[in-house]
Every structure is written in structure tokens, then in C-alpha cells.
Amino acid sequence: MIEFKLSVDVLGNTRFAFSPLAEVSSSLRLLGEPQPAHLHTPWLRRVRDQLGDVDLELLLAITPPGKWAPAFLYPRATGATTTLEQQLNALAQVSPAKVRENLELVWSGRPLPRPVRELFDAGERGPAMICEAIWAYWDAAIAPYRVRICGVLEDDVSHRAGVSLSGGLFDLLNDLHPEVTLDGHTLSIDKPQHADATYPGAVLTLVPSVFTWPRLLINHEDSGEFELTYAARGVGRVWEGVEPEERTEDRLGALLGHTRAAILAMLSVPMSTTQVARDLGQSPGSVSQHLAILRDSGMVVSWRSGRSVLYRQTPLAASLVAVSTSGIGGSQAFGRG
């Protein structure tokens, strides 16, 4: 059991951050699972045939599933605008000694695979080799779905920020993960593989993730600070529509109009007007008018996130799309590739 003793400062120093590199690393661990999480099956089916130009042998060797993850691939998240480029620039500067230390822990008790041994032999070039492989993997496996992933992450942060305003830190952490409990000023995390320890904490960083599900990852390398990478709410929606079904009938389109029906189906995950317009190949002005009609009809809700306004289906709209998807009454789904 790991315990973090929260000082009064943590009430004003609890923040959210995003980590593209953590998503990459967790998705690679998922790829290496013999029985991967079923929630991500649509993504797995799509990407497995798109990785021919990626050094997947190296990447899977440094991110094997198991009790431990390499810390150098999960750097401390610093904010909501962190980019993969920034994180890879920092990764390229990591010492080969740290890479070796992390990977020897990850593979402890098991023979080191050949790509890891070759990485150690590469010395100072090792971190750059990892960065090059990750960048190619990002382009093939993550970038095409970045809008969907970001929509779910931003939706989670928006929800939890609202919860913290109404119920405070306890309510914010209450349903973060089954391994997390909060009792007074003690945040307990049930991690049997870790030695029992107690740490003081004044800064808490929460990092929502899509590919971490169903795990919880912790980072407490910096004194007084700790970080929890957890599965975002709504992770089950992120791949809806990724595998489009054949459409023989379009009753939802006949009811709402084809464009509005397509927009509504896309909004199973939060998206901005610009994102919807880009994916539909229409002007933002035209999409904005459709969104206004859908919002006035109770089909979508909107809220501001940073500089963008995000839109998402209401429960009523989700029910209509679900009925269309199920084929009840002969209707079919609007998939989104």
C-alpha cells in the first residue's frame, strides 16, 4: 500500500495535465498484451496493418505488459498543452544509464530481448533511436485518432473540474480508480507490487488517459509531488464509429437531414466545430448552423474548453443513434471512419 499524506497546500495545487507520450507508451503495452482490453478492439483491428514502417520490435521490447512500466516513457506531465514533440525532445536527452536502469527493472527475472540488448549497446544513440521509432508509431497509430482521444480527455477534465467545484477534492478523487481511496489527508493506493511506503505530498497532478484503462499508473519521483495517470471517463465511447457498418437504409438521416445525422453520430465524443467541419469536408459556418439546430432541439450540449467550444450528444441523441446502430426498425448506423 502506498500512502500520500496530503498537506493543506494540495487543495490549491491539484491540477490536470495531458501526456501524449504516456498515451503512446500505454498503447504499446496494450499491443503487447496476449489478451488486450476488449474496449480497444476496434483500434487494434485498424492499426495492426498500418505499422509496417514502424520499428515495432524495438517499441514492444521496451514496453512489455507487466507490473512495471519504464519511467522514462512516463515523464511528469506539466500541463494541458504539452506536445509529443516537447516530450520527445526531453526523452532524447535522457541518459543511457537511466534507460538501462528502467528496462532492467521492467525485465527483471526475464531474459532481455535482443532489441533491448542492442539498445544498450548503442549507448548515447539509444534514446534517439527510441524517439525516432515512437514518432513513426505516433503518425501511424495515434495521430489519425487524436481528435477522438483528445475529446474524451477534455470531457473528463471538464466533468471532474465541475465535481471539484461542487464537492471538493474528496468528490474529485472518489471515483478516480478502484485502487484509490481518500481518508482525511491520506490518499491510499493499493499497489501490491510496490513496497509499502508513505510520502508527503503538496502537489497532485491528475493525467487522464485512454490507453491506460483499466490500470492506474503512479509517479512520485519528485519530492512533494505525485502524479496519477488514470482511465478517463467515457473511454468506451472513443472508438464508436471507427468500424463503420454497411448502410442499406438511412432513417435517421431522413428524420434529421443527412448532414445533421452524420454530425450527431460523430459527437459520441466531444468535438469542436472546426474538428467536425474538417472531418465532414464542410465549412465551419455551415457546421455551426447545424450544431445550433441540434443544440436547440436538445440533441447536443456544448461547453467551453480553453479556446474551443466542444459539443457532445445528449442522452436522447445517444439513444437515437444507438437504435439506428442496432438495426431496430430496419435503421442502420452512421459510422465514422
Coordinates of all heavy atoms in Angstrom, one line a residue, residues 145-200:
Y145 N -6.3 9.3 -34.8 CA -7.4 9.2 -33.8 C -7.3 10.3 -32.7 O -8.0 10.2 -31.7 CB -7.5 7.8 -33.2 CG -7.5 6.7 -34.2 CD1 -6.3 6.0 -34.5 CD2 -8.6 6.4 -35.0 CE1 -6.2 5.0 -35.5 CE2 -8.5 5.5 -36.0 CZ -7.4 4.8 -36.2 OH -7.3 3.8 -37.2
R146 N -6.4 11.2 -33.0 CA -6.1 12.2 -31.9 C -7.3 13.0 -31.5 O -7.5 13.3 -30.3 CB -5.0 13.1 -32.4 CG -4.5 14.1 -31.4 CD -3.3 14.9 -31.9 NE -2.9 16.0 -31.0 CZ -3.4 17.2 -31.0 NH1 -4.3 17.5 -31.9 NH2 -3.0 18.1 -30.1
V147 N -8.1 13.4 -32.5 CA -9.3 14.2 -32.2 C -10.2 13.5 -31.2 O -10.7 14.0 -30.2 CB -10.1 14.6 -33.5 CG1 -11.4 15.2 -33.1 CG2 -9.2 15.6 -34.3
R148 N -10.5 12.2 -31.5 CA -11.3 11.4 -30.7 C -10.7 11.3 -29.3 O -11.4 11.4 -28.3 CB -11.4 10.0 -31.3 CG -12.3 9.9 -32.5 CD -12.3 8.5 -33.1 NE -13.3 8.3 -34.1 CZ -14.6 8.0 -33.8 NH1 -14.9 7.8 -32.5 NH2 -15.5 7.9 -34.7
I149 N -9.4 11.0 -29.2 CA -8.8 10.8 -27.9 C -8.8 12.1 -27.1 O -9.2 12.1 -25.9 CB -7.3 10.3 -28.1 CG1 -7.3 8.9 -28.7 CG2 -6.5 10.4 -26.8 CD1 -5.9 8.5 -29.2
C150 N -8.5 13.2 -27.7 CA -8.5 14.5 -27.0 C -9.9 14.9 -26.6 O -10.1 15.5 -25.5 CB -7.9 15.6 -27.9 SG -6.1 15.5 -28.2
G151 N -10.9 14.5 -27.4 CA -12.3 14.9 -27.0 C -12.7 14.2 -25.7 O -13.3 14.8 -24.8
V152 N -12.3 12.9 -25.5 CA -12.6 12.2 -24.3 C -11.8 12.7 -23.1 O -12.4 12.8 -22.0 CB -12.4 10.6 -24.5 CG1 -12.4 9.9 -23.2 CG2 -13.4 10.1 -25.5
L153 N -10.6 13.0 -23.3 CA -9.7 13.5 -22.2 C -10.3 14.9 -21.8 O -10.4 15.1 -20.5 CB -8.3 13.6 -22.7 CG -7.6 12.3 -23.2 CD1 -6.1 12.6 -23.5 CD2 -7.7 11.2 -22.1
E154 N -10.6 15.7 -22.7 CA -11.1 17.1 -22.3 C -12.4 17.0 -21.6 O -12.7 17.7 -20.7 CB -11.1 18.0 -23.5 CG -9.7 18.3 -24.0 CD -9.8 19.1 -25.3 OE1 -10.9 19.3 -25.9 OE2 -8.7 19.5 -25.8
D155 N -13.3 16.0 -22.1 CA -14.5 15.8 -21.4 C -14.4 15.4 -20.0 O -15.1 15.8 -19.1 CB -15.3 14.8 -22.2 CG -16.8 14.7 -21.8 OD1 -17.3 15.8 -21.4 OD2 -17.4 13.6 -21.9
D156 N -13.4 14.5 -19.8 CA -13.2 14.0 -18.4 C -12.7 15.2 -17.5 O -13.2 15.3 -16.4 CB -12.1 12.9 -18.4 CG -11.7 12.4 -17.0 OD1 -12.4 11.5 -16.6 OD2 -10.8 13.0 -16.4
V157 N -11.8 16.0 -18.0 CA -11.3 17.1 -17.2 C -12.5 18.1 -16.9 O -12.6 18.6 -15.7 CB -10.2 17.8 -17.9 CG1 -9.8 19.1 -17.2 CG2 -8.9 16.9 -18.0
S158 N -13.3 18.4 -17.9 CA -14.4 19.3 -17.7 C -15.4 18.7 -16.6 O -15.8 19.4 -15.7 CB -15.2 19.5 -19.0 OG -16.3 20.3 -18.8
H159 N -15.6 17.4 -16.7 CA -16.5 16.8 -15.7 C -15.9 16.9 -14.3 O -16.6 17.3 -13.3 CB -16.8 15.4 -16.0 CG -17.4 14.6 -14.9 ND1 -18.8 14.6 -14.6 CD2 -16.9 13.7 -14.0 CE1 -19.0 13.8 -13.6 NE2 -17.9 13.2 -13.2
R160 N -14.7 16.5 -14.1 CA -14.0 16.5 -12.8 C -13.8 17.9 -12.2 O -13.9 18.1 -11.0 CB -12.7 15.7 -12.9 CG -13.0 14.2 -13.2 CD -11.7 13.4 -13.0 NE -12.0 12.0 -13.5 CZ -12.7 11.1 -12.8 NH1 -13.1 11.4 -11.5 NH2 -12.9 9.9 -13.3
A161 N -13.6 18.8 -13.1 CA -13.4 20.2 -12.6 C -14.8 20.7 -12.0 O -14.8 21.3 -11.0 CB -13.0 21.1 -13.8
G162 N -15.9 20.3 -12.7 CA -17.2 20.7 -12.1 C -17.5 20.0 -10.8 O -18.0 20.6 -9.9
V163 N -17.1 18.7 -10.7 CA -17.3 18.0 -9.5 C -16.5 18.6 -8.4 O -17.0 18.7 -7.2 CB -16.8 16.5 -9.7 CG1 -16.7 15.8 -8.3 CG2 -17.8 15.8 -10.6
S164 N -15.2 19.0 -8.6 CA -14.4 19.6 -7.6 C -15.0 20.9 -7.1 O -14.8 21.3 -5.9 CB -13.0 19.8 -8.1 OG -12.9 20.8 -9.1
L165 N -15.6 21.7 -8.0 CA -16.2 22.9 -7.6 C -17.4 22.7 -6.6 O -17.6 23.5 -5.7 CB -16.6 23.7 -8.8 CG -15.5 24.3 -9.6 CD1 -16.1 25.0 -10.9 CD2 -14.7 25.4 -8.8
S166 N -18.1 21.7 -6.9 CA -19.3 21.4 -6.1 C -19.1 20.6 -4.8 O -19.7 20.8 -3.8 CB -20.4 20.8 -6.9 OG -20.0 19.5 -7.4
G167 N -18.1 19.6 -4.9 CA -17.9 18.7 -3.9 C -16.5 18.6 -3.3 O -16.3 17.9 -2.3
G168 N -15.6 19.4 -3.8 CA -14.3 19.4 -3.3 C -13.4 18.3 -3.7 O -13.8 17.4 -4.6
L169 N -12.2 18.2 -3.1 CA -11.2 17.2 -3.5 C -11.7 15.8 -3.3 O -11.4 14.9 -4.1 CB -9.9 17.4 -2.8 CG -8.7 16.6 -3.1 CD1 -8.3 16.8 -4.6 CD2 -7.5 16.9 -2.2
F170 N -12.4 15.5 -2.3 CA -12.9 14.2 -2.0 C -13.7 13.6 -3.1 O -13.5 12.5 -3.6 CB -13.7 14.1 -0.7 CG -14.1 12.7 -0.3 CD1 -13.3 11.9 0.4 CD2 -15.3 12.2 -0.7 CE1 -13.7 10.6 0.7 CE2 -15.7 11.0 -0.4 CZ -14.9 10.1 0.3
D171 N -14.7 14.4 -3.6 CA -15.6 14.0 -4.7 C -14.8 13.9 -6.0 O -15.1 13.0 -6.8 CB -16.7 15.0 -4.9 CG -17.8 14.8 -3.8 OD1 -17.7 13.9 -3.0 OD2 -18.8 15.6 -3.8
L172 N -13.8 14.7 -6.2 CA -13.0 14.6 -7.4 C -12.3 13.3 -7.5 O -12.2 12.7 -8.5 CB -11.9 15.8 -7.3 CG -10.9 15.8 -8.4 CD1 -11.5 15.9 -9.8 CD2 -9.8 16.8 -8.2
L173 N -11.8 12.8 -6.3 CA -11.0 11.6 -6.3 C -11.8 10.3 -6.0 O -11.3 9.2 -6.1 CB -9.9 11.7 -5.3 CG -8.8 12.8 -5.5 CD1 -7.9 12.9 -4.3 CD2 -8.0 12.6 -6.7
N174 N -13.1 10.5 -5.7 CA -13.9 9.4 -5.2 C -14.0 8.3 -6.2 O -14.0 7.1 -5.8 CB -15.3 10.0 -4.8 CG -16.1 8.9 -4.1 OD1 -15.6 8.2 -3.2 ND2 -17.4 8.8 -4.5
D175 N -14.2 8.6 -7.5 CA -14.4 7.5 -8.5 C -13.2 7.5 -9.5 O -13.4 7.1 -10.6 CB -15.7 7.7 -9.2 CG -15.8 9.0 -10.1 OD1 -14.9 9.9 -9.8 OD2 -16.6 9.0 -11.0
L176 N -12.1 8.0 -9.1 CA -10.9 8.1 -10.0 C -10.5 6.7 -10.4 O -10.3 6.4 -11.6 CB -9.8 8.8 -9.3 CG -8.6 9.2 -10.3 CD1 -9.1 10.4 -11.1 CD2 -7.4 9.6 -9.5
H177 N -10.4 5.7 -9.5 CA -10.0 4.4 -9.8 C -10.3 3.5 -8.6 O -10.1 4.0 -7.4 CB -8.5 4.3 -10.2 CG -8.1 3.0 -10.8 ND1 -7.7 1.9 -10.0 CD2 -7.9 2.7 -12.1 CE1 -7.3 1.0 -10.8 NE2 -7.5 1.4 -12.1
P178 N -10.6 2.2 -8.8 CA -10.9 1.4 -7.6 C -9.7 1.2 -6.7 O -9.9 0.9 -5.5 CB -11.2 0.0 -8.3 CG -11.7 0.3 -9.6 CD -10.9 1.6 -10.1
E179 N -8.5 1.5 -7.1 CA -7.3 1.3 -6.3 C -7.1 2.5 -5.4 O -6.2 2.5 -4.5 CB -6.0 1.1 -7.1 CG -6.0 -0.3 -7.8 CD -4.8 -0.5 -8.7 OE1 -4.1 0.5 -8.9 OE2 -4.6 -1.6 -9.2
V180 N -7.8 3.6 -5.6 CA -7.6 4.9 -4.9 C -8.7 5.1 -3.9 O -9.9 5.0 -4.1 CB -7.6 6.1 -5.9 CG1 -7.5 7.4 -5.1 CG2 -6.5 6.0 -6.9
T181 N -8.2 5.4 -2.6 CA -9.2 5.8 -1.6 C -8.6 7.0 -0.9 O -7.4 7.2 -0.8 CB -9.3 4.7 -0.5 OG1 -8.1 4.3 0.0 CG2 -10.0 3.5 -1.2
L182 N -9.5 7.9 -0.4 CA -9.1 9.1 0.3 C -9.7 9.1 1.7 O -11.0 9.0 1.8 CB -9.5 10.3 -0.5 CG -9.1 11.7 0.1 CD1 -7.6 11.8 0.1 CD2 -9.7 12.8 -0.8
D183 N -8.9 9.2 2.7 CA -9.4 9.2 4.1 C -8.7 10.4 4.8 O -7.6 10.3 5.2 CB -9.1 7.9 4.8 CG -9.7 7.8 6.2 OD1 -10.5 8.7 6.6 OD2 -9.3 6.9 7.0
G184 N -9.5 11.4 5.0 CA -8.9 12.6 5.6 C -7.8 13.2 4.7 O -8.0 13.5 3.5
H185 N -6.6 13.3 5.3 CA -5.5 13.8 4.5 C -4.6 12.7 3.9 O -3.5 13.0 3.5 CB -4.6 14.7 5.4 CG -5.3 16.1 5.7 ND1 -5.4 17.1 4.8 CD2 -6.0 16.5 6.8 CE1 -6.0 18.1 5.3 NE2 -6.4 17.8 6.5
T186 N -5.1 11.5 3.9 CA -4.3 10.4 3.4 C -4.9 9.8 2.2 O -6.1 9.4 2.1 CB -4.2 9.2 4.5 OG1 -3.6 9.7 5.7 CG2 -3.4 8.1 4.0
L187 N -4.1 9.8 1.1 CA -4.5 9.2 -0.2 C -3.8 7.9 -0.3 O -2.6 7.8 -0.3 CB -4.1 10.2 -1.4 CG -4.5 9.7 -2.8 CD1 -6.0 9.8 -3.0 CD2 -3.7 10.5 -3.8
S188 N -4.6 6.8 -0.3 CA -4.1 5.5 -0.3 C -4.2 4.9 -1.7 O -5.3 5.0 -2.3 CB -4.7 4.6 0.7 OG -4.6 5.1 2.0
I189 N -3.2 4.2 -2.2 CA -3.2 3.5 -3.5 C -2.8 2.1 -3.3 O -1.7 1.8 -2.8 CB -2.3 4.2 -4.5 CG1 -2.7 5.7 -4.6 CG2 -2.4 3.5 -5.8 CD1 -1.8 6.5 -5.5
D190 N -3.7 1.1 -3.6 CA -3.5 -0.3 -3.4 C -2.6 -0.8 -4.6 O -3.2 -1.1 -5.7 CB -4.8 -1.0 -3.3 CG -4.6 -2.5 -3.0 OD1 -3.5 -2.9 -2.6 OD2 -5.6 -3.2 -3.2
K191 N -1.3 -0.9 -4.4 CA -0.4 -1.4 -5.4 C 0.5 -2.5 -4.8 O 1.6 -2.2 -4.2 CB 0.5 -0.3 -6.0 CG -0.2 0.7 -6.9 CD -0.5 0.1 -8.2 CE -1.0 1.1 -9.2 NZ -1.4 0.5 -10.5
P192 N 0.0 -3.7 -4.8 CA 0.7 -4.8 -4.1 C 2.2 -5.0 -4.6 O 3.0 -5.4 -3.8 CB -0.1 -6.1 -4.4 CG -1.4 -5.5 -4.8 CD -1.2 -4.2 -5.4
Q193 N 2.5 -4.6 -5.8 CA 3.8 -4.8 -6.3 C 4.8 -3.8 -5.8 O 6.0 -4.0 -5.9 CB 3.9 -4.8 -7.9 CG 3.6 -3.5 -8.5 CD 2.1 -3.3 -8.8 OE1 1.3 -3.8 -8.1 NE2 1.8 -2.6 -9.9
H194 N 4.3 -2.7 -5.2 CA 5.1 -1.7 -4.7 C 5.4 -2.0 -3.2 O 4.5 -2.5 -2.5 CB 4.5 -0.3 -4.8 CG 4.5 0.2 -6.2 ND1 5.4 1.1 -6.6 CD2 3.7 0.0 -7.3 CE1 5.2 1.4 -7.9 NE2 4.2 0.7 -8.3
A195 N 6.5 -1.6 -2.7 CA 6.8 -1.7 -1.3 C 5.9 -0.7 -0.5 O 5.6 0.4 -1.0 CB 8.3 -1.5 -1.0
D196 N 5.4 -1.1 0.7 CA 4.7 -0.2 1.5 C 5.5 1.1 1.8 O 6.7 1.0 2.2 CB 4.2 -0.8 2.8 CG 3.2 -1.9 2.6 OD1 2.7 -2.0 1.5 OD2 3.0 -2.7 3.5
A197 N 4.9 2.2 1.6 CA 5.6 3.5 1.8 C 4.7 4.6 2.0 O 3.5 4.6 1.6 CB 6.5 3.8 0.6
T198 N 5.2 5.7 2.7 CA 4.4 6.9 2.9 C 5.2 8.1 2.4 O 6.4 8.2 2.7 CB 4.0 7.0 4.4 OG1 3.3 5.9 4.8 CG2 3.2 8.3 4.6
Y199 N 4.5 8.9 1.7 CA 5.2 10.1 1.1 C 4.4 11.4 1.5 O 3.2 11.3 1.5 CB 5.3 10.0 -0.4 CG 6.0 8.8 -0.9 CD1 5.3 7.6 -1.2 CD2 7.4 8.8 -1.1 CE1 5.9 6.5 -1.7 CE2 8.0 7.7 -1.6 CZ 7.3 6.5 -1.9 OH 7.9 5.4 -2.4
P200 N 5.1 12.5 1.8 CA 4.4 13.7 1.9 C 4.0 14.3 0.5 O 4.8 14.0 -0.4 CB 5.4 14.6 2.6 CG 6.8 14.1 2.1 CD 6.6 12.6 2.0

